[in-house]
Amino acid sequence: MSNMMSSSFSSISCIVYLVLAFCAMSLDQAEARAFFVFGDSLVDNGNNNYLITSARADSPPYGIDYPSHRPTGRFSNGLNIPDIISEQLGMEPTLPYLAPQLTGDRLLVGANFASAGVGILNDTGIQFLNIIRIGKQLEYFQQYQRRVTALIGAEQTEQLVNSALVLITLGGNDFVNNYYLVPFSARSRQFSLPDYVRYLISEYRKVLQKLYDLGARRVLVTGTGPLGCVPAELAQRSPTGECAVELQRAAALFNPQLTQMLSDLNNQLGANVFIAANTYTMNMDFISNPQAYGFVTSKIACCGQGPYNGIGLCTPLSNLCPNRDIYAFWDPFHPSEKANRIIVQQILTGSSKYMNPMNLSSIMALDSRT
């Protein structure tokens, strides 16, 4: 009798397990979504490796803390912001759009179109020669959709794009690699700073509208970080180590206007398509109080040379810190992986101080119910 009972229980247990496993699998499939990334070096994961450009991160010590311990084209000691978002959401990391491996089923994961050096404006980053300007990134997105249509059909492709998560990071280079690149730059002669910011915002709006027209329905838009506080600007503009005033002013003008423009766009579209990520405040938290986040310094880059290790590029000949986790900045411009993890945590779960109108966890919960 007891043998019969135990065998019945094991059969029931087996059925329950199979049902639960099937449900879990269905849930995973329902929540699996493609991820598309657009923008500059903060989110480029290797597209520039395939281009003739000086804006590259394909030599050591870049990638020193990446799983392969090799440079990948990411401007980081390890993972960058899109990588960590993918990791935290349990998604496969996206490949650079120009990577030859991005074929077949791998296309369904999404793609990273970002290119170091680009900005909102076409004349930003011209010194880097051959980079994928934002207009070209959007053309590649259209090309991507044609490739996926050949794979799974038009209707499924539209569904994949509409349900995808999108991240776009632009704006910083329009200041540091354009308006303030040289004294009396062409753009600074053409525009006062407030007028330049208004022009950038109006041009960015066109980019985002185009992204919407191409099917994007959930778009994380990051503001600029505290531009005047990066080691490169401290080295060039700050004899005392205080954040460079003029670049901070630029960020302080740009970010609120960006948030307002996204809100206006959402109102026009009748949906919360665009989500503003206040990366300025996310960065300022650990820049103004590095010790609270486990950093020893937020002024000196881990890799570089000159004052604050902020001059020139990070190369095999640069000074290199032994422990990247105690530096907020990896190189003269880019956060360390540890700092990127702090930023992503706020993107995921941050309050309205950081994310407007909602954080990424709220978006995921909302979308899983629809």
Side-chain angles (χ1 to χ4, degrees), residues 35-36 45 47 50 92-113 140 143-144 147-148 151:
F35 185 26
F36 301 111
N45 69 345
N47 280 310
Y50 302 96
E92 215 179 301
T94 54
L95 287 170
Y97 186 66
L98 298 184
Q101 305 92 315
L102 187 65
T103 56
D105 284 352
R106 285 188 164 186
L107 283 162
L108 307 184
V109 172
N112 186 316
F113 301 90
Y140 280 150
Q143 185 185 85
Y144 164 91
R147 291 172 66 190
V148 175
L151 206 61

Side-chain angles (χ1 to χ4, degrees), residues 77-136:
N77 57 301
L79 302 183
N80 65 10
I81 287 169
D83 294 324
I84 299 164
I85 289 175
S86 294
E87 174 196 274
Q88 293 294 308
L89 297 180
M91 304 190 303
E92 215 179 301
T94 54
L95 287 170
Y97 186 66
L98 298 184
Q101 305 92 315
L102 187 65
T103 56
D105 284 352
R106 285 188 164 186
L107 283 162
L108 307 184
V109 172
N112 186 316
F113 301 90
S115 177
V118 305
I120 297 162
L121 306 182
N122 275 338
D123 55 301
T124 291
I126 49 170
Q127 71 273 30
F128 301 124
L129 303 176
N130 186 22
I131 51 180
I132 313 167
R133 305 192 187 287
I134 191 59
K136 187 67 176 176

Side-chain angles (χ1 to χ4, degrees), residues 132-334:
I132 313 167
R133 305 192 187 287
I134 191 59
K136 187 67 176 176
Q137 290 183 31
L138 295 175
E139 277 178 41
Y140 280 150
F141 188 36
Q142 289 173 281
Q143 185 185 85
Y144 164 91
Q145 292 186 39
R146 290 194 293 273
R147 291 172 66 190
V148 175
T149 299
L151 206 61
I152 61 173
E155 197 178 323
Q156 289 285 90
T157 299
E158 188 179 355
Q159 196 179 335
L160 179 140
V161 171
N162 287 168
S163 64
L165 180 66
V166 179
L167 171 69
I168 184 165
T169 295
L170 287 172
N173 283 327
D174 294 288
F175 296 105
V176 299
N177 282 310
N178 191 331
Y179 195 84
Y180 291 111
L181 179 64
V182 290
F184 312 111
S185 67
R187 287 296 191 186
S188 69
R189 291 198 307 272
Q190 182 185 6
F191 291 108
S192 68
L193 180 61
D195 287 343
Y196 183 64
V197 169
R198 279 191 285 275
Y199 176 58
L200 285 181
I201 296 293
S202 68
E203 291 299 300
Y204 203 177
R205 186 181 179 124
K206 294 175 195 170
V207 169
L208 297 175
Q209 181 66 54
K210 176 76 170 168
L211 201 49
Y212 179 83
D213 295 343
L214 293 175
R217 294 295 179 269
R218 284 293 191 205
V219 186
L220 294 172
V221 184
T222 66
T224 75
L227 301 171
C229 304
V230 302
E233 300 304 335
L234 295 183
Q236 290 174 57
R237 302 171 190 272
S238 176
T240 60
E242 295 303 308
C243 298
V245 173
E246 194 58 16
L247 279 152
Q248 288 297 85
R249 181 172 163 243
L253 283 171
F254 179 82
N255 289 313
Q257 288 184 51
L258 175 63
T259 303
Q260 184 59 53
M261 180 264 280
L262 299 178
S263 179
D264 293 347
L265 256 180
N266 286 340
N267 288 337
Q268 178 194 312
L269 298 168
N272 287 324
V273 173
F274 298 101
I275 314 296
N278 185 348
T279 37
Y280 181 91
T281 303
M282 294 174 195
N283 279 271
M284 275 315 288
D285 285 350
F286 58 74
I287 285 171
S288 54
N289 189 2
Q291 286 73 25
Y293 294 85
F295 297 121
V296 166
T297 177
S298 60
K299 293 184 189 295
I300 303 166
C302 167
C303 181
Q305 45 279 314
Y308 308 104
N309 276 345
I311 301 291
L313 302 169
C314 169
T315 73
L317 301 176
S318 298
N319 303 318
L320 179 67
C321 67
N323 179 2
R324 273 69 63 184
D325 282 351
I326 58 175
Y327 283 72
F329 284 95
W330 155 245
D331 70 9
F333 285 104
H334 303 96

Side-chain angles (χ1 to χ4, degrees), residues 4-19:
M4 281 176 65
M5 283 179 66
S6 72
S7 105
S8 303
F9 274 126
S10 67
S11 301
I12 291 165
S13 302
C14 189
I15 291 164
V16 169
Y17 174 76
L18 287 169
V19 169

